[in-house]
């Protein structure tokens, strides 16, 4: 009472067995400290390698002694490592014991090999968290893997993503990294980010510069869960979102239209049918799984009241000369009243929208309307507003929009814009997806390079940006995650990094930044020392 706060961690006085002991097979391990201690989540926090049956291990703390009952026989000629991390803390202030590790061997030598490297993300969050990440290796030929059992050897990265697995027995291994949110020491491919190295690690000497890049890749095959009539329409419910949908029927785009939202594909009809109608549906998900099915859909009369027609606009977008508007509808659109659809730029002036300015992105869906208008330089106003009164849009179920639409767009001034950001991608081959991101991580501009490694973003608002490059190996103009079952890593993602090793790129009005070269250095596997951001 009244004394100084205890800031000293507990100090290990002795252990049984003693660290670095040889030819020991303890049934029980004890550690004695210089003060009273307690355990914090030891079953998760104390990392034991190589793999043992953690369910049988008993941890306890009494006064200043920690006891570990193994309740199992250890393997012959094997080096065991007990890494206590922050699981042993003092009673008074919960200061954790520092750098506490116990190493012993059941044979006559201590295994001393190791692997080290870093863990990152293909799409890093603003504040990367490495607290629940595990790096683990499995002996080649082991019947288990990262999804079925804990690893044989494992480690956890530090706060910057660096890891080090020590005291490994020489041999051939497969290596993985994953975010273990549920503490099972296994990866859950439906919900947890993970990565794996395709090549076998031949550990005969220390291996450095191993790199993992975490991302989510749900390996559940895509499938149709159920089908049912919904009012006069027909629903196809999927277990997950596909990346590609192909729906085929002779009258699709004429009498039938469809939308997709939240795992549900809904086919709309312009009139009821007595007979069932066949639809051929092909699905593909992000990891490459496909399903082809023939669906017989029924479109019968129904008393169910149709949903109201709703509109969402890409309001708030900026533009220079061409105003590009997108209107997203919750249902397919059948007709438009152009008399009540126009652009305003002051209290008295308006620009009528005509059919030549419109384009539906997909004539079989009719739920995404794109409007493109070229505005003359003589219009000096900053804000342009699209207006649509009620009953402007008419959907396939006979519903009009009940609410008025009003969405604003900002016209940029040429003198306030930066001229260009340009450069090359070094160390990778096209095709590429080049993305310009703002400080919120939002996509500002995007380019697809099929046969070139040079990019150029022109006429940009002044600000701070990041440049992200996706190595689009299959040229499908999207990033493809890993597929563990097909032994395929995710497509590489890398970022522009300046001379100060920062990703931020600042550009001002009138500036032109050339030779902003991007080095492809983020690669899963054993990496060479990164090279400078120069050609």
């Amino acid at each position: 009472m009244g004394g100084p706060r205890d800031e000293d961690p507990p100090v290990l006085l002795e252990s049984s067995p003693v660290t670095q002991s040889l030819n020991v097979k303890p049934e029980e391990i004890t550690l004695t400290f210089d003060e009273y201690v307690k355990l914090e989540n030891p079953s998760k926090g104390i990392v034991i390698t190589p793999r043992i049956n953690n369910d049988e291990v008993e941890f306890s703390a009494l006064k200043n002694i920690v006891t570990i009952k193994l309740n199992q026989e250890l393997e012959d000629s094997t080096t065991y490592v007990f890494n206590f991390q922050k699981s042993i803390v003092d009673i008074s202030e919960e200061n954790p014991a520092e750098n506490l590790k116990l190493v012993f061997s059941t044979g006559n030598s201590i295994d001393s090999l190791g692997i080290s490297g870093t863990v990152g993300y293909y799409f890093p969050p603003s504040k990367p968290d490495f607290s629940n990440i595990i790096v683990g290796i499995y002996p080649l030929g082991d019947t288990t893997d990262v999804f079925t059992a804990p690893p044989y050897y494992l480690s956890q990265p530090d706060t910057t993503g660096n890891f080090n697995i020590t005291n490994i027995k020489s041999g051939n291994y497969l290596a993985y990294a994953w975010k273990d949110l549920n503490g099972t020491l296994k990866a859950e491919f439906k919900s947890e980010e993970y990565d794996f190295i395709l090549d076998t690690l031949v550990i005969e000497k220390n291996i450095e510069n191993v790199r993992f890049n975490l991302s989510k890749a749900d390996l559940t095959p895509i499938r149709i869960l159920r089908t049912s009539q919904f009012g006069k329409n027909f629903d196809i419910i999927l277990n997950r979102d596909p990346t590609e949908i192909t729906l085929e029927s002779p009258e699709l785009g004429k009498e039938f239209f469809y939308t997709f939202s939240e795992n549900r594909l809904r086919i709309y009809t312009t009139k009821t049918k007595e007979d069932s109608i066949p639809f051929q549906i092909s699905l593909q998900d992000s990891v490459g799984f496909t399903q082809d099915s023939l669906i017989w859909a029924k479109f019968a009369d129904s008393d169910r009241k149709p949903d109201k027609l709703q509109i969402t606009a890409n309001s708030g977008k900026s533009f220079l000369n061409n105003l590009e508007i997108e209107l997203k509808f919750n249902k397919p659109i059948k007709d438009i009243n152009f008399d009540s659809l126009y652009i305003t730029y002051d209290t008295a002036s308006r620009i009528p929208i005509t059919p030549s300015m419109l384009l539906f992105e997909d004539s079989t869906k009719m739920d995404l309307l794109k409007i493109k208008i070229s505005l003359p330089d003589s219009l000096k106003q900053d804000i342009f507003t699209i207006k649509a009164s009620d009953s402007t849009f008419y959907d396939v179920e006979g519903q009009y929009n009940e609410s008025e639409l009003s969405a604003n767009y900002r016209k940029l001034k040429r003198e306030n814009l930066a001229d260009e950001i340009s450069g090359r991608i070094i160390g990778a081959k096209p095709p590429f997806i080049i993305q310009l991101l703002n400080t919120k991580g939002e996509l500002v501009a995007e380019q697809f390079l099929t046969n070139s490694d040079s990019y150029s973003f022109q006429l940009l608002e002044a600000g701070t940006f990041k440049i992200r490059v996706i190595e689009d190996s299959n040229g499908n103009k999207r990033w493809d995650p890993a597929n563990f079952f097909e032994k395929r890593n995710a497509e590489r993602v890398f970022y522009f990094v300046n001379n100060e090793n920062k990703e931020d790129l600042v550009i001002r009005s009138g500036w032109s930044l050339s030779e902003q070269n991007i080095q492809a250095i983020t690669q899963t596997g054993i990496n060479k020392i990164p090279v400078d951001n120069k050609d």
Side-chain angles (χ1 to χ4, degrees):
M1 294 294 292
R5 179 176 178 177
D6 179 13
E7 297 181 354
D8 296 327
V11 176
L12 180 66
L13 299 178
E14 60 182 46
S15 67
S16 176
V18 176
T19 192
Q20 302 294 318
S21 293
L22 302 177
N23 298 308
V24 294
K25 269 194 178 182
E27 297 180 357
E28 181 177 285
I29 296 171
T30 61
L31 298 95
T32 303
F33 294 87
D34 65 342
E35 58 180 315
Y36 285 9
V37 295
K38 63 179 180 178
L39 293 167
E40 295 284 349
N41 195 12
S43 59
K44 182 179 180 181
I46 300 176
V47 177
I48 306 172
T49 58
R51 181 175 63 206
I52 66 173
N53 189 348
N54 281 356
D55 293 337
E56 296 183 7
V57 179
E58 298 179 35
F59 302 93
S60 63
L62 180 62
K63 296 182 179 181
N64 65 329
I65 297 177
V66 171
T67 302
I68 304 173
K69 294 182 178 180
L70 299 177
N71 297 320
Q72 58 197 286
E73 186 174 355
L74 302 180
E75 296 182 18
D76 294 331
S77 302
T78 301
T79 299
Y80 285 89
V81 180
F82 287 69
N83 190 333
F84 294 91
Q85 303 190 96
K86 298 182 179 181
S87 292
I88 299 178
V89 301
D90 61 38
I91 290 289
S92 57
E93 296 293 341
E94 298 187 349
N95 299 306
E98 296 180 347
N99 302 318
L100 183 58
K101 183 186 293 187
L102 177 64
V103 180
F104 62 84
S105 175
T106 58
N108 55 16
S109 64
I110 298 286
D111 295 324
S112 59
L113 298 177
I115 65 171
S116 61
T118 58
V119 179
Y121 293 84
Y122 276 120
F123 300 94
S126 58
K127 295 182 180 179
D129 179 16
F130 301 99
S131 58
N132 292 309
I133 292 175
I134 289 177
V135 179
I137 61 174
Y138 295 70
L140 185 66
D142 195 299
T143 57
T144 62
D145 58 44
V146 67
F147 300 116
T148 59
Y152 199 70
Y153 293 97
L154 64 92
S155 176
Q156 291 186 292
D158 60 21
T159 55
T160 61
N162 295 314
F163 73 88
N164 185 23
I165 304 179
T166 63
N167 301 101
I168 302 173
K169 183 184 296 186
S170 63
N172 299 333
Y173 297 88
L174 297 177
Y176 309 83
W178 67 99
K179 198 168 185 66
D180 189 31
L181 295 174
N182 57 8
T184 62
L185 299 182
K186 298 180 292 182
E188 305 289 341
F189 57 70
K190 288 185 179 181
S191 57
E192 295 177 343
E193 296 159 302
Y194 63 90
D195 193 19
F196 53 90
I197 295 177
L198 290 175
D199 297 331
T200 300
L201 293 186
V202 181
I203 303 181
E204 296 176 343
K205 60 181 180 180
N206 291 339
I207 298 178
E208 300 176 343
N209 297 320
V210 177
R211 174 77 182 186
F212 294 96
N213 297 287
L214 304 183
S215 63
K216 287 186 178 179
D218 189 348
L219 297 175
T220 306
I222 192 166
R223 66 182 187 276
I224 296 172
L225 296 180
R226 64 182 185 276
T227 62
S228 63
Q229 188 176 348
F230 185 88
K232 296 180 181 180
N233 309 309
F234 191 81
D235 280 358
I236 302 173
I237 309 300
L238 310 180
N239 66 323
R240 51 189 299 219
D241 281 353
T243 54
E244 294 182 14
I245 300 175
T246 302
L247 192 66
E248 297 179 354
S249 179
E251 297 302 316
L252 190 65
K254 301 174 183 178
E255 292 187 12
F256 302 104
F257 304 88
Y258 78 96
T259 61
F260 184 83
S261 177
E262 298 179 349
N263 296 5
R264 182 202 67 206
L265 186 150
R266 178 166 294 169
I267 304 175
Y268 292 84
T269 181
T270 56
K271 53 186 176 181
T272 58
K273 303 285 184 180
E274 292 185 1
D275 299 325
S276 296
I277 307 298
F279 289 86
Q280 183 68 42
I281 183 171
S282 298
L283 306 169
Q284 180 172 316
D285 62 20
S286 60
V287 296
F289 294 132
T290 61
Q291 178 172 346
D292 297 322
S293 300
L294 180 64
I295 301 293
W296 290 85
K298 185 72 174 176
F299 302 93
D301 285 324
S302 173
D303 295 329
R304 186 184 183 93
K305 187 177 180 180
D307 295 335
K308 292 182 178 180
L309 178 60
Q310 299 176 353
I311 312 169
T312 304
N314 62 336
S315 180
K317 294 293 183 180
S318 301
F319 68 99
L320 183 57
N321 295 315
N322 295 321
L323 172 57
E324 297 183 359
I325 299 170
E326 290 188 0
L327 301 181
K328 177 69 176 178
F329 302 89
N330 63 323
K331 294 188 288 183
I333 295 301
K334 187 177 182 181
D335 198 9
I336 300 173
N337 177 14
F338 287 93
D339 292 339
S340 56
L341 183 62
Y342 52 89
I343 301 292
T344 65
Y345 52 90
D346 59 34
T347 56
S349 302
R350 66 172 60 182
I351 301 171
I353 295 177
T354 63
S356 62
M357 301 174 181
L358 306 186
L359 175 66
F360 278 97
E361 187 175 65
D362 188 337
S363 61
T364 65
K365 299 175 73 176
M366 301 292 284
D367 62 344
L368 180 59
L369 177 61
K370 295 188 175 183
I371 304 172
K372 186 173 182 178
I373 305 172
S374 295
L375 298 174
D377 292 336
S378 58
L379 296 178
K380 302 302 182 181
Q381 285 77 6
D382 294 331
I383 302 299
F384 290 77
T385 305
I386 183 172
K387 295 279 190 179
S389 63
D390 62 283
S391 302
T392 297
F393 300 101
Y394 183 70
D395 70 32
V396 293
E397 292 189 298
Q399 303 292 303
Y400 288 98
N401 61 298
E402 296 181 358
S403 302
E404 294 183 358
L405 170 68
S406 180
N408 295 327
Y409 300 85
R410 182 168 62 95
K411 191 174 190 300
L412 302 172
K413 291 181 171 59
R414 175 61 183 88
E415 60 268 22
N416 294 334
L417 300 181
D419 291 336
E420 183 184 34
I421 301 174
S422 62
R424 292 182 54 206
I425 296 94
I426 300 170
K429 296 181 179 180
F432 298 118
I433 304 171
I434 317 296
Q435 298 176 327
L436 192 68
L437 310 174
N438 62 20
T439 54
K440 296 180 181 179
E442 299 168 335
L443 183 65
V444 175
E446 186 174 56
Q447 294 180 357
F448 301 99
L449 304 181
T450 304
N451 299 307
S452 173
D453 61 6
S454 298
Y455 73 92
S456 174
F457 293 106
Q458 299 177 351
L459 300 179
L460 301 168
E461 289 190 79
T464 301
F465 300 97
K466 292 183 179 181
I467 303 176
R468 179 167 64 202
V469 178
I470 297 172
E471 191 177 35
D472 187 23
S473 303
N474 57 11
N476 63 1
K477 295 187 176 181
R478 66 170 183 265
W479 175 77
D480 292 315
N483 189 319
F484 175 77
F485 297 141
E486 294 182 0
K487 304 304 179 186
R488 185 183 71 240
N489 284 128
E491 289 180 328
R492 287 200 293 172
V493 181
F494 35 93
Y495 295 79
F496 168 80
V497 178
N498 62 24
N499 293 330
E500 298 177 356
N501 202 34
K502 295 182 179 179
E503 295 180 354
D504 290 343
L505 193 155
V506 180
I507 191 167
R508 304 300 183 197
S509 301
W511 285 16
S512 181
L513 299 179
S514 60
E515 297 186 10
Q516 304 302 302
N517 297 334
I518 304 169
Q519 179 69 50
I521 60 175
T522 304
Q523 171 77 58
T524 291
I526 303 173
N527 294 295
K528 298 179 181 179
I529 301 299
V531 299
D532 292 335
N533 185 27
K534 298 178 181 179
D535 193 358

